[in-house]
């Protein structure tokens, strides 16, 4: 008897959307590959201070622009710094830039979008017009303009990228909120007299979250490229602090003499961005209720 | 149709006003005093004040905005504080360079992305489809400035096949112009090709499930005809819209590509302006880009109506 109840319970649990999404995600080979890549880079970035590597800032004028060897697995740069160590510390800058800027965009964008989608009327009109105006300026151009006005630094680059990515989240959350506000359960919540903040928090917000999660993973990929781009242009991480984009900027001047300087940062950016893209694609497929 | 265009134009007006307020406000928040940079060694307060008067920097902020906006409406984007050349004139000389780069990239993207998307959709689930998807996702994940550096390294530095940098106008020497531009265009085109491929594929997959495709097959039409004439023509609509919407990505990508290949275009101009705190140029570039984006959006909208007979009557 208890066994039968347990079995029914298991069957019900197995049909819950979370576990269904998880099952779909697990069977998605490329999504798993993406998670592994992202996880590996994240682990390296977190472990950077305790790894047995030379300091990323330690110069060695006797070892300038050395090709990869046992002592320096990825070679050294134009002032004799170990490139592997700078790559590992650069991972911190890249991943942090990706995560922090997207967090900024979500924290500003999602509430504004929900508000616009749920309230409609003039609130919606105001928020939407501003979003459209910002969306008319290409993401990177907006980030460059903002980074220029805030002054070049990694923190400012993150803020600039975050603000530039905000309209994406406003638009997404707004569209989602409009759909959910029309659902019966929201109407009944309204009918039993729940206050607007309670409805927004308990019913709208949790349902807006899944697509926002997918979007944020894919936006982290764009944000990492944007940070690398800004640093490449000299508007992000400032020397001597390591960043993949800034490393490429220097490497550009030593292409004939030290091609390895240009190779590794690009490979790393490519892998991390690919990882986030695969992860995002996998999440989208897993969380999409239509593809049953 | 006409009323549709007019309605779209009207909606664009508040957007443009907001953009101009935003762009103007941004400039006012830029760090550093442009006059200090301009005066150089001469820090005499009298001179500084005269310069501020000359550029209207002593007026109240809304007066500055209105006079700027009035100028913009008359095609006057101000004067570069660095070179003394009118911004509109600078843009007029730099923009064709970037347009050539953009057009060539688009040709690359269309000729690679669309056929790849069709083949991938037709052969869905095969190794070919899988490979095309992997390549496309890689194209989206590779930073284009790094791809540019790698190509220069291999093609120019190692094999001396193509020039690594510079620009020659096509009116001066057409073939040399193509030769210098082909690598940057390829670099800028890869990301776009990847986007186009993914969208063509998904659009084709949707269309190929439709009844009229099944009918065409049932009539005994040959498969290439079914795919090209019945499926592809209908799958094209969202793809054409996407091409117009990729404009923003194209301009943003051009900023980096021009930096890598030292092409004196629109994109390089904004980077140089940012570093020399040339307010008017930054404003002009961002404004022109936004207007271009809005125009492309309008065109995309029109193309959508034109390509879709069901919407034409509206």
């Amino acid at each position: 008897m208890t066994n039968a109840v347990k079995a029914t319970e298991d069957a019900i649990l197995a049909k819950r959307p979370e576990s269904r999404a998880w099952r779909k995600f697990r069977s998605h080979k490329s999504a798993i590959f993406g998670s592994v890549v992202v996880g590996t880079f994240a682990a390296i970035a977190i472990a950077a201070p305790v790894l047995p590597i030379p300091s990323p800032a330690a110069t060695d004028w006797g070892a300038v622009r050395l090709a990869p060897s046992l002592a320096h697995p990825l070679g050294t740069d134009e002032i004799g710094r170990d490139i592997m160590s700078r790559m590992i510390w650069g991972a911190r800058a890249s991943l942090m830039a990706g995560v922090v800027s997207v967090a900024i965009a979500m924290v500003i964008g999602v509430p504004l979008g929900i508000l616009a989608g749920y309230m409609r009327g003039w609130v919606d009109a105001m928020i939407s017009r501003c979003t459209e105006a910002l969306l008319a300026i290409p993401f990177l151009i907006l980030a460059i303009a903002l980074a220029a006005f805030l002054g070049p630094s990694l923190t400012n680059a993150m803020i600039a990228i975050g603000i530039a990515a905000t309209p994406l989240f406003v638009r997404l959350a707004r569209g989602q909120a409009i759909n959910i506000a029309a659902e019966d359960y929201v109407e009944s919540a309204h009918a039993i007299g729940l206050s607007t903040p309670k409805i927004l928090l308990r019913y709208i917000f949790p349902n807006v979250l899944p697509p926002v999660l997918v979007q944020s993973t894919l936006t982290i990929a764009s944000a990492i490229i944007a940070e690398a781009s800004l640093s490449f242009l000299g508007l992000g991480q400032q020397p001597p602090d390591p960043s993949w984009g800034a490393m490429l900027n220097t490497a550009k001047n030593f292409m004939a003499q030290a091609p390895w300087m240009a190779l590794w940062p690009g490979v790393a950016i490519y892998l991390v961005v690919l990882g986030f893209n695969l992860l995002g694609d996998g999440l989208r497929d897993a969380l999409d209720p239509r593809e049953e | 149709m006409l009323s549709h265009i007019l309605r779209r134009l009207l909606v664009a007006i508040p957007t443009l006003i907001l953009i101009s307020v935003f762009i103007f406000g941004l400039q006012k928040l830029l760090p550093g005093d442009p006059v200090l940079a301009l005066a150089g060694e001469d820090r005499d307060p009298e001179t500084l004040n005269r310069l501020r008067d000359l550029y209207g920097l002593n007026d109240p902020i809304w007066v500055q905005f209105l006079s700027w906006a009035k100028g913009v409406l008359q095609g006057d984007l101000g004067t570069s504080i660095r070179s003394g050349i009118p911004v509109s004139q600078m843009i007029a000389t730099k923009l064709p360079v970037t347009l050539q780069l953009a057009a060539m990239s688009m040709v690359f993207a269309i000729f690679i992305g669309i056929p790849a998307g069709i083949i991938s959709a037709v052969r869905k689930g095969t190794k070919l489809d899988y490979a095309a998807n992997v390549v496309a996702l890689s194209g989206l994940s590779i930073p284009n400035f790094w791809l540019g550096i790698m190509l220069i390294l291999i093609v120019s530095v190692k094999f001396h096949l193509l020039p690594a940098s510079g620009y020659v106008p096509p009116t001066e020497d057409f073939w040399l112009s193509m030769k210098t531009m082909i690598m940057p265009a390829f670099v800028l085109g890869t990301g776009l090709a990847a986007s186009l491929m993914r969208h063509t594929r998904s659009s084709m997959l949707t269309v190929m499930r439709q009844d009229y495709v099944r009918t065409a097959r049932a009539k005994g039409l040959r498969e290439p005809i079914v795919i090209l004439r019945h499926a592809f023509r209908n799958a094209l609509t969202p793809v054409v819209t996407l091409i117009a919407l990729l404009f923003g990505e194209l301009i943003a990508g051009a900023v980096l590509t021009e930096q890598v290949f030292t092409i004196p275009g629109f994109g390089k101009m904004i980077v140089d302006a940012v570093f020399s705190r040339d307010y008017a140029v930054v404003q002009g570039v961002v404004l022109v880009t936004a207007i271009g984006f809005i125009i492309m959006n309008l065109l995309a909208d029109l193309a959508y109506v034109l390509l879709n007979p069901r919407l034409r009557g509206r």
Side-chain angles (χ1 to χ4, degrees):
Chain A
M1 176 64 197
T2 38
N3 271 350
V5 171
K6 183 90 177 55
T8 326
E9 232 174 49
D10 280 352
I12 293 168
L13 278 176
K15 284 215 175 83
R16 282 171 58 206
E18 290 91 339
S19 57
R20 190 181 59 210
W22 173 234
R23 263 210 319 278
K24 269 170 90 177
F25 185 79
R26 260 189 334 199
S27 65
H28 212 296
K29 273 191 214 116
S30 53
I32 296 296
F33 175 74
S35 324
V36 170
V37 171
V38 170
T40 309
F41 272 97
I44 291 174
I46 293 168
V50 294
L51 289 176
I53 46 172
S55 154
T59 58
D60 180 356
W61 294 100
V64 170
R65 294 201 310 258
L66 290 181
S69 64
L70 269 181
H72 302 287
L74 302 182
T76 61
D77 69 3
E78 81 286 1
I79 48 176
R81 293 175 298 200
D82 181 60
I83 292 181
M84 192 178 76
S85 160
R86 292 184 70 72
M87 289 292 305
I88 290 172
W89 283 88
R92 284 169 91 89
S94 273
L95 289 177
M96 203 163 77
V99 172
V100 171
S101 55
V102 169
I104 292 173
M106 273 168 70
V107 166
I108 307 175
V110 173
L112 280 177
I114 290 179
L115 214 60
Y118 187 76
M119 305 298 263
R120 310 305 301 266
W122 65 270
V123 178
D124 182 24
M126 246 175 55
I127 295 175
S128 292
R129 288 299 91 72
C130 289
T131 311
E132 277 159 29
L134 281 178
L135 279 171
I137 307 170
F139 180 60
L140 189 67
I141 304 269
L142 185 57
I144 288 175
L146 286 168
F149 118 68
L150 293 166
S153 78
L154 183 64
T155 314
N156 288 345
M158 290 193 281
I159 296 172
I161 296 167
I163 295 174
T166 302
L168 288 176
F169 287 94
V170 176
R171 198 175 50 176
L172 180 70
R174 176 183 174 270
Q176 200 65 19
I178 289 176
N179 287 335
I180 294 159
E183 294 280 348
D184 288 343
Y185 58 80
V186 175
E187 233 163 84
S188 48
H190 203 72
I192 61 169
L194 275 188
S195 65
T196 303
K198 269 210 177 115
I199 295 178
L200 288 181
L201 226 78
R202 212 176 288 168
Y203 294 96
I204 309 277
F205 179 70
N207 288 301
V208 167
L209 225 44
V212 166
L213 192 68
V214 173
Q215 181 66 44
S216 63
T217 315
L218 296 172
T219 310
I220 289 179
S222 319
I224 288 176
I225 290 205
E227 186 276 328
S229 305
L230 288 178
S231 293
F232 175 71
L233 294 172
L235 291 168
Q237 181 83 295
Q238 296 298 301
D241 293 333
S243 134
W244 296 339
M247 287 169 78
L248 281 175
N249 187 14
T250 323
K252 194 176 60 153
N253 305 323
F254 300 97
M255 269 193 279
Q257 303 93 327
W260 56 88
M261 279 173 67
L263 183 64
W264 310 118
V267 172
I269 298 170
Y270 165 63
L271 281 176
V272 167
V273 172
L274 184 70
F276 274 107
N277 275 329
L278 288 172
L279 190 60
D281 275 0
L283 280 178
R284 179 170 47 207
D285 289 348
L287 293 173
D288 190 353
R290 278 172 309 178
E291 282 188 31
E292 269 304 297
Chain B
M1 185 73 201
L2 194 70
S3 73
H4 182 72
I5 300 174
L6 281 176
R7 204 167 47 234
R8 297 291 307 184
L9 278 173
L10 278 175
V11 173
I13 292 173
T15 310
L16 271 173
I17 293 176
L18 270 172
I19 291 171
S20 58
V21 170
F22 171 74
I23 290 170
F24 184 80
L26 196 64
Q27 164 232 286
K28 285 293 143 205
L29 295 167
L30 270 167
D33 189 339
V35 168
L36 270 184
L38 195 70
E41 290 295 299
D42 185 6
R43 295 288 162 95
D44 173 28
E46 189 64 20
T47 320
L48 294 183
N49 219 21
R50 250 205 341 272
L51 280 169
R52 282 201 192 97
D53 266 341
L54 185 66
Y55 288 102
L57 295 171
N58 280 336
D59 294 335
I61 197 148
W62 59 273
V63 174
Q64 290 185 39
F65 173 72
L66 284 182
S67 83
W68 177 76
K70 194 174 142 214
V72 168
L73 286 176
Q74 293 165 346
D76 172 15
L77 293 170
T79 309
S80 161
I81 212 159
R82 282 280 146 163
S83 60
I85 302 171
V87 175
S88 50
Q89 196 182 321
M90 279 173 83
I91 291 176
T93 54
K94 304 278 187 183
L95 198 56
V97 179
T98 302
L99 288 181
Q100 186 192 345
L101 174 63
M104 286 175 69
S105 315
M106 215 20 131
V107 170
F108 263 122
I110 288 171
F111 278 91
I112 300 171
I114 292 184
I118 296 176
I119 294 170
S120 195
V122 172
R123 299 259 177 276
K124 182 178 187 262
T126 62
K127 284 205 173 101
L128 195 68
D129 175 35
Y130 187 71
N133 273 303
V134 170
V135 173
L137 201 60
S138 296
L140 286 178
S141 305
I142 290 183
N144 71 10
F145 55 97
W146 180 66
L147 189 63
I149 293 175
M150 287 294 112
L151 275 181
I152 293 178
L153 206 60
I154 296 165
V155 179
S156 307
V157 176
K158 198 150 172 78
F159 293 108
H160 306 286
L161 291 175
L162 290 167
S165 64
Y167 174 72
V168 180
T171 45
E172 203 171 283
D173 183 340
F174 184 77
W175 288 114
L176 189 59
S177 175
M178 291 294 129
K179 236 176 117 177
T180 46
M181 206 58 121
I182 198 139
M183 217 160 40
F186 175 76
V187 166
L188 185 50
T190 46
L192 305 174
S195 292
L196 276 182
M197 181 266 161
R198 280 163 67 103
H199 278 87
T200 308
R201 179 178 182 274
S202 78
S203 174
M204 277 296 281
L205 285 177
T206 312
V207 169
M208 277 164 58
R209 277 198 295 262
Q210 303 287 318
D211 286 344
Y212 57 78
V213 171
R214 201 178 54 194
T215 310
R217 281 205 182 110
K219 280 198 302 191
L221 288 182
R222 285 188 302 121
E223 194 61 16
I225 295 196
V226 174
I227 287 164
L228 289 178
R229 200 163 314 147
H230 293 256
F232 177 61
R233 265 181 73 164
N234 288 292
L236 197 61
T237 322
V239 176
V240 169
T241 315
L242 177 76
I243 291 178
L245 295 179
L246 282 175
F247 171 81
E249 227 169 285
L250 207 55
I251 295 294
V255 173
L256 293 157
T257 312
E258 288 175 8
Q259 199 70 18
V260 172
F261 290 94
T262 347
I263 299 168
F266 192 67
K268 197 162 183 328
M269 190 167 100
I270 184 176
V271 177
D272 294 343
V274 160
F275 279 107
S276 56
R277 293 202 193 114
D278 206 338
Y279 295 172
V281 177
V282 177
Q283 284 177 323
V285 170
V286 178
L287 188 65
V288 168
T289 311
I291 292 172
F293 186 79
I294 289 172
I295 293 173
M296 290 309 277
N297 258 301
L298 269 168
L299 289 179
D301 212 51
L302 289 183
Y304 196 78
V305 177
L306 284 176
L307 283 171
N308 198 338
R310 277 166 295 193
L311 297 177
R312 232 174 264 165
R314 287 203 300 160

